[in-house]
Each structure stands twice: as structure tokens, then as C-alpha cells.
């Protein structure tokens, strides 16, 4: 389950927002795309998801070319920045959605769907919320539901678009830990888009630092701090070094 | 816990004088509003029913079940039944296209959809006659195939489509613009097809606005006079919709018949009003 990004270029009008970006992800790896706003990280994530299509380059998943594959056929679970929960459905129905829309051949029976949803909610520790509507949930609970919904489709890859940005600092810390443990438990690779160094350093196995539509450096957190490849990376990561020395685990 | 204490009354004479002045202004405004509503709106409605029942229930009923009036009611209902689904489909498609896609002619489409609001229905009717009539551009060509569009149900449906085309799109576009398409994108990444996404995600979001637009469009179809009168040909017992029938009966000096038929239209209008406020009460955000 590895993803290869080959020379992806994307324009908005005449603006180049992704400049021949190439990245190789290993199976099961947790990757962070880290950069200031406007660096192209969300565009890259949406291109991987199939919600946008690049003018140049290609995407390979397990060796299969998925550049022109419809988003719905990619089976990449995505957590949106504002969670995009289905407001008119209960939490359980939100989580079941991806299973219910499968074609008849691969769709589990309704009893089986219910069972699976139950297990997923339990795993995410939100069983007690099953019958609530998104409007009745706190920000942290909404995020958990969004993540659980994305995991329900047994995704080949998990895509996370600034999933913590709408939460206050305390909730954020809690959820980071549970996201990481859920991801490990399921054993699925994940790509996290964030502008928050602390978040990237705590969660990711490797971090791709982005600026102006290019990858400045792609390495493990430790190596990024030890050998920043450019003044930009060094400067951008200055804040995280202090965090690192404070003894928080990577 | 609030301790209940009696609030001391305001005794300052200047403040009291100001209050009295404000109260007078308020009373005047309320009086104007109510009088206006009574004279302009309520009284005519009451008059319709009083006149229709003036000669007793039996006469009223016999006027309603006159074959020509019954046929007019049926024709009106039939027109609404044909026009509404087409209108809904067009309204949804147009709103979706305008909100979600950027294409040349998008602004023009948005303006054209609103055109029927600003054009006089009778002018619209004449335009249709000019194009689709047997002397018209399209009409004369179709005439060669023995197809006649005007002076029959087709003509009535066509102009009814024209006058009601903005209602649904007008309700949907602002709503869809606010809602964005995050949920649709989420559905897509979860494996839903376009149709499933529409059915399970988009439709529940817009259903009240859709119903609201449909009710308004329906009221307009049923009540439309000008445009329909031009293209219907006014054939007795054949192409008379209810509003046309009211006019016809009145011109025939059958005032009771005219008012009896008018009560049917009025009842439909009142039902529309009730449904409309019920939807607004339930979903105040939409409007």
C-alpha cells in the first residue's frame, strides 16, 4: 500500500501552485505535509484524494496509475478541515454511509453494517454518541466521527486536512494521541496536512516541508532539525526545536 | 436563582410623557397597517365567499359541478401536474450548474432565469404565439408534421413553464451557495456515485427550499391568467383553465358561477399560504 507522487504540477489560472512535486510514501507510514498557508499542501492532498486533478505528473498507488481514477474509486478515507459531516444523519448513519453506498455485490448485509459500525464507534470511543446528530456534538466529538466515518470504508490511505485546526488546544492534544493510536491499530498509511510544526513533529514518521508549491525537504523529524536543507526550513522549524527540547515525545 | 422584587414604576413625568407619545405613534402605525390589510386583502376574499354563497349552498354546488367548470379545474390541475416536475428538474439542474460550475454564459443563465419575473405574462404569451404559433418560426415548421403547439394543453403547459421557471432555482441557488459542497465531496471520497450523493446528501439539505419553491410555482401555475389566455385559444370546455373560466362565466353574466369558481382558486391560495408559513416556521434559516 505505497503511494508515489511523480512530478505533480497544478495551476490555478496562470498561478503555479504545485511545481513538479514528487514524493514516495512507504506502506503504513504517517506523513505530514507541513508548510505555511499558500504553500500548496492542501492542493496536493486534494489531488491525491481525486477531488482536484493536476495538469502534469502522475500518481501511482501500489504500482497502479490512479492519476485519472475517480475519487470514489480510490478508497482513500478523508477527514475534512470542517469535518463535512452529514448534518441530517445520526452519527451511526454517518459512519455507515460509506458501506451503504457500495454496489450490491460488495455491500455487506444491513445487519453486518450495523455490527461493523458498532465496532468502529467502540474503537473510537464514541459508542454513546451513535444516535446523536452532528449539530449536538462538540468540536472534538465531530472530529472523531469524521475520522471514524473515513475508517469505515477500510481505506487504503487516510487523508487528513488540518483535522485539528478548529479545536482548542487541550482537546487537540488528546485527539492527536487517539488519532495516532487508531491509525496504528488499523494499520493504514496516513497523510496529514498541517501548518502546525508541533502537530507534525508529534504525529508523523516523516515530514515534507512545503513552500511555494515545492517540497523543501522530506525527512524524519529528527533529521529535519539536525540537517535543515535550506534557510527556509531552518527558520520555519525554529519554533519546534524549543518544543523538542522540552522533552515531548516524537 | 433570581430574587423576585417588584420593579418600581417610572414616575418621572418627562419620561412618562415620552412614553405616551411613543404609544400614540405605535397605535397609529398599527392602525394603518391593519386597515390597509383589511381593505386591500381581507375584504375582497370575504366578498368572494359571500357572493358565491349568496344564493345558497345548493346553487353554489351546482355551479361548481357544472361540466365546464369541472373541466377547467381538471385542466388546471393537469397543467400543474405536468409543469411542476419539469420545473423541479430544471430548477435543480440550473441551480447545481450555476453554483458548482464555472462556464461561459453562467451569468447570462442566471439573468435569464429571472426574466419571467420582470416580463409581463401577456407579453410572454404573445412571444410564444409568435414563435410556436402556426405562423411562427418553430410552429410553422412543426405544422408540416401536423404538430400543433398553441391553443391546446401543450401551449398552456409551455407558457406556464415560462412564468414559473424562476421559483425553484431562486430558492435553491442562495441555499446551495451557503452550504458549499463539502458534504458532497465527503460523500464522493466515501465511494458514493453522483446520484447517491444527490439523493442522500444534497436532497435532504435542500428539500425544504425545494418544497417552498414548488409551492410558490404551483400557486403561480394555477393562478396564471395573462400568458395562458393568449395561447389557450379560449375554447369553451376545452382549453379553459380555472382563471380563464372565471372570466368567461363573469362575461356570461353568471356572477354566482364566476365567484363559485373563484372560491376554488382562493382555497388553493389559502392552502399555499398555510403550507408556506408552516415551512417558514420550521425552517426559518432558508428565508
Amino acid at each position: 500500500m505505497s503511494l508515489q507522487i511523480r512530478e505533480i504540477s497544478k495551476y490555478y489560472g496562470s498561478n503555479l501552485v504545485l511545481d513538479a512535486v514528487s514524493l514516495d510514501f512507504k506502506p503504513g507510514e504517517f506523513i505530514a505535509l507541513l508548510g505555511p498557508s499558500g504553500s500548496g499542501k492542501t492542493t496536493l492532498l486534494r489531488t491525491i484524494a481525486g477531488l482536484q486533478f493536476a495538469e502534469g505528473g502522475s500518481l501511482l498507488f501500489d504500482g497502479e496509475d490512479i492519476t485519472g481514477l475517480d475519487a470514489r474509486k480510490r478508497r482513500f478515507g478523508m477527514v475534512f478541515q470542517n469535518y463535512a459531516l452529514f448534518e441530517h444523519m445520526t452519527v451511526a448513519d454517518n459512519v455507515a454511509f460509506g458501506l451503504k453506498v457500495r454496489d450490491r455485490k460488495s455491500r455487506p448485509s444491513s445487519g453486518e453494517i450495523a455490527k461493523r459500525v458498532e465496532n468502529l464507534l467502540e474503537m473510537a470511543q464514541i459508542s454513546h454518541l451513535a444516535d446523536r446528530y452532528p449539530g449536538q456534538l462538540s468540536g472534538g466529538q465531530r472530529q472523531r466521527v469524521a475520522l471514524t466515518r473515513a475508517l469505515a470504508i477500510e481505506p487504503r490511505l487516510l487523508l487528513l486536512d488540518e483535522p485539528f485546526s478548529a479545536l482548542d488546544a487541550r482537546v487537540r492534544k488528546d485527539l492527536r494521541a487517539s488519532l495516532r493510536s487508531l491509525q496504528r491499530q488499523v494499520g493504514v498509511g496516513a497523510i496529514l496536512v498541517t501548518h502546525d510544526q508541533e502537530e507534525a513533529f508529534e504525529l508523523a514518521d516523516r515530514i515534507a516541508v512545503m513552500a511555494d508549491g515545492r517540497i523543501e525537504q522530506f525527512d524524519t523529524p529528527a533529521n529535519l532539525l539536525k540537517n535543515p536543507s535550506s534557510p527556509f526550513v531552518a527558520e520555519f522549524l525554529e519554533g519546534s526545536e524549543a518544543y523538542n527540547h522540552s522533552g515531548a515525545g516524537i | 436563582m433570581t430574587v423576585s422584587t417588584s420593579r418600581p414604576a417610572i414616575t418621572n413625568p418627562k419620561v412618562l410623557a415620552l412614553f405616551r407619545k411613543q404609544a400614540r405613534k405605535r397605535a397609529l402605525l398599527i392602525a394603518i397597517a391593519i386597515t390597509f390589510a383589511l381593505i386591500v386583502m381581507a375584504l375582497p376574499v370575504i366578498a368572494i365567499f359571500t357572493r358565491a354563497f349568496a344564493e345558497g349552498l345548493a346553487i353554489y354546488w351546482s355551479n361548481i359541478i357544472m361540466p365546464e367548470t369541472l373541466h377547467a379545474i381538471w385542466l388546471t390541475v393537469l397543467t400543474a401536474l405536468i409543469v411542476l416536475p419539469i420545473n423541479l428538474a430544471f430548477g435543480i439542474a440550473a441551480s447545481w450548474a450555476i453554483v458548482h460550475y464555472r462556464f461561459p454564459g453562467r451569468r447570462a443563465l442566471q439573468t435569464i432565469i429571472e426574466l419571467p419575473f420582470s416580463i409581463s405574462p401577456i407579453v410572454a404569451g404573445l412571444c410564444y404565439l409568435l414563435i410556436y404559433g402556426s405562423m411562427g418560426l418553430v410552429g410553422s415548421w412543426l405544422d408540416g408534421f401536423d404538430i400543433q403547439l398553441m391553443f391546446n394543453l401543450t401551449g398552456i403547459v409551455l407558457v406556464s413553464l415560462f412564468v414559473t421557471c424562476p421559483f425553484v432555482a431562486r430558492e435553491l441557488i442562495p441555499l446551495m451557495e451557503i452550504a458549499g459542497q463539502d458534504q458532497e465531496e465527503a460523500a464522493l471520497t466515501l465511494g458514493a456515485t453522483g446520484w447517491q450523493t444527490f439523493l442522500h446528501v444534497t436532497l435532504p439539505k435542500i428539500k425544504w427550499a425545494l418544497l417552498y419553491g414548488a409551492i410558490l410555482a404551483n400557486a403561480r401555475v394555477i393562478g396564471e391568467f395573462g400568458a395562458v389566455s393568449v395561447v389557450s385559444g379560449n375554447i369553451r370546455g376545452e382549453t379553459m383553465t380555472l382563471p380563464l373560466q372565471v372570466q368567461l362565466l363573469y362575461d356570461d353574466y353568471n356572477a354566482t358561477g364566476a365567484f363559485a369558481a373563484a372560491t376554488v382558486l382562493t382555497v388553493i391560495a389559502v392552502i399555499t399560504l398555510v403550507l408556506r408559513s408552516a415551512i417558514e416556521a420550521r425552517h426559518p434559516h432558508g428565508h
Side-chain angles (χ1 to χ4, degrees), chain A residues 13 18 29 63 72 77 91 98 120 124 128 132 157 175 180 231 243:
Chain A
L18 289 177
E29 205 175 17
R72 70 182 192 88
V91 166
L120 282 158
H128 57 294
R132 297 235 199 128
L157 190 65
L175 283 179
R180 189 67 165 119
Y243 168 76

Side-chain angles (χ1 to χ4, degrees), chain A residues 142-194:
Chain A
R142 293 169 73 87
Q143 202 251 38
R144 274 176 201 260
V145 175
L147 179 63
T148 313
R149 182 178 70 176
L151 290 173
I153 61 170
E154 298 166 310
R156 305 193 289 174
L157 190 65
L158 199 54
L159 306 175
L160 310 156
D161 185 8
E162 301 264 14
F164 303 103
S165 64
L167 303 171
D168 60 58
R170 245 200 24 228
V171 181
R172 215 181 282 191
K173 276 227 138 96
D174 272 1
L175 283 179
R176 259 186 227 158
S178 76
L179 166 68
R180 189 67 165 119
S181 81
L182 269 176
Q183 181 257 344
R184 285 225 176 92
Q185 212 172 321
V186 178
V188 63
I191 304 177
L192 167 79
V193 159
T194 180

Side-chain angles (χ1 to χ4, degrees), chain A residues 46 72 82 85-86 88 101, chain B residues 182 185 188 192 196 200 204:
Chain A
R46 289 175 58 85
R72 70 182 192 88
N82 60 8
L85 297 178
F86 306 130
H88 61 283
V101 297
Chain B
D182 294 342
E185 285 187 342
L188 194 65
Q196 286 171 324
H200 300 300

Side-chain angles (χ1 to χ4, degrees), chain A residues 82-138:
Chain A
N82 60 8
Y83 313 133
L85 297 178
F86 306 130
E87 299 289 335
H88 61 283
M89 295 182 201
T90 62
V91 166
D93 285 336
N94 262 280
V95 175
F97 184 85
L99 298 171
K100 283 183 182 164
V101 297
R102 283 193 190 167
D103 56 28
R104 202 160 295 160
K105 276 191 306 230
S106 51
R107 190 195 316 150
S109 72
S110 59
E112 202 176 316
I113 289 178
K115 184 88 198 115
R116 265 211 240 173
V117 169
E118 202 178 304
N119 290 341
L120 282 158
L121 291 176
E122 203 170 308
M123 191 170 75
Q125 295 168 347
I126 48 174
S127 299
H128 57 294
L129 303 176
D131 296 325
R132 297 235 199 128
Y133 286 88
Q136 304 166 302
L137 304 180
S138 71

